[in-house]
Amino acid sequence: MCATPCPREDVKTAFIFSCLTSLRLSDIRALCPKHIKKSPDSKSEYIEIEQQKTEENVSIPRLAEAKNYLKVVEYVIQRWMPAAGIDKHITFHLARHNKFCSLLKISGLPLN
């Protein structure tokens, strides 16, 4: 499956990430940097998150392999932004802040 092309690479990436972490799509959407923790020996990382559906806290070890799929998203964004004429460093996480800022601007509220 990993080696087979998919018509939507973003869907493939999210699906494989879910396979590696056992997270639901809603949990993947809620995932942010604060959920990624260092192990006590600082040699590895894990995800610690409250699942949306069950409200149960889970700890997901061995994040290294799954994290490679998050890098794919960042890689695509880094290629996409210059093609769109944007020369600033843009990350996936920035999108959530950008949406909020855009909504404020559209609503006429001050941005400061």
Side-chain angles (χ1 to χ4, degrees), residues 2-15:
C2 292
T4 305
C6 176
R8 291 275 312 267
E9 286 298 313
D10 56 340
V11 172
K12 176 181 176 180
T13 298
F15 184 81

Side-chain angles (χ1 to χ4, degrees), residues 46-64:
Y46 63 97
I47 296 172
E48 191 172 272
I49 191 169
E50 181 181 286
Q51 292 183 327
Q52 302 249 329
K53 182 177 180 180
T54 63
E55 297 182 354
E56 180 182 331
N57 286 321
V58 294
S59 182
I60 301 160
R62 299 187 316 270
L63 180 58

Side-chain angles (χ1 to χ4, degrees), residues 13-19 21-32 49 52 70 92:
T13 298
F15 184 81
I16 294 171
F17 185 81
S18 181
C19 289
T21 62
S22 300
L23 290 174
R24 293 177 183 88
L25 184 56
S26 60
D27 297 324
I28 292 171
R29 288 180 176 146
L31 195 62
C32 60
I49 191 169
Q52 302 249 329
L70 293 177
F92 189 85

